[in-house]
Amino acid sequence: AYLVRLTMTTRRWQRDSKAWAPTHVQSLDIRPESLPDDIGVAARQFWDRGEERACLSLLYRGLLSRLVHVFEVGIRDSSTEGDCLRLAAAALHADRIAYVAQLIRVWQQSVYGGQMPAAEVVHELCADFAPTLDRVPQADRVASGATASAAACRH
């Protein structure tokens, strides 16, 4: 009976822990169903058609969505880019953080600074999106699970 109750409580906690996840960050829709299956490929297609802003927006929205829904980073609907980077840095390994920091920097420079990145930089961000953000290795899962638990306790 103890094991059954423990299993049921754990399953309920896992299901309820997703309730904190926002659907939007600022005005950006980060629901997984609002994004293409292969974000990197879709973003590259936007870039190649000359739709630079759409490309960068998709990459940034995809980043936020993966941080929230895959890595369970405690990003809120009012989180800034700096907040997102700080929260991601506490939950991810260094190789992933480097990608996150670069994408956020490119996003900020284009949106706030009006500076479009070089095509090579964007091509690399697009190509590295899926390998960096689509799956959570077990080591990351432990770290992000701890972050989600802490976020759930705070809110």
Side-chain angles (χ1 to χ4, degrees), residues 91-118:
L92 304 177
H93 288 275
D95 57 333
R96 292 180 198 277
I97 295 166
Y99 178 85
V100 170
Q102 181 183 19
L103 180 49
I104 289 174
R105 185 174 49 255
V106 166
W107 167 256
Q108 288 177 316
Q109 288 172 346
S110 68
V111 171
Y112 305 121
Q115 302 171 356
M116 280 299 150

Side-chain angles (χ1 to χ4, degrees), residues 20-75:
W20 62 266
T23 60
H24 291 73
V25 175
Q26 304 294 334
S27 62
L28 301 173
D29 187 349
I30 65 163
R31 294 171 298 139
E33 61 270 15
S34 73
L35 298 164
D37 291 333
D38 194 331
I39 292 170
V41 168
R44 172 73 188 254
Q45 290 171 348
F46 278 129
W47 185 267
D48 290 344
R49 288 194 308 256
E51 300 177 51
E52 292 90 357
R53 177 107 181 183
C55 167
L56 297 175
S57 177
L58 179 57
L59 285 172
Y60 185 62
R61 287 177 48 228
L63 169 69
L64 295 176
S65 182
R66 293 301 194 271
L67 289 176
V68 169
H69 298 287
V70 174
F71 293 93
E72 298 179 351
V73 174
I75 293 172

Side-chain angles (χ1 to χ4, degrees), residues 43 96 123 130 142:
R96 292 180 198 277
H123 293 170
V142 171

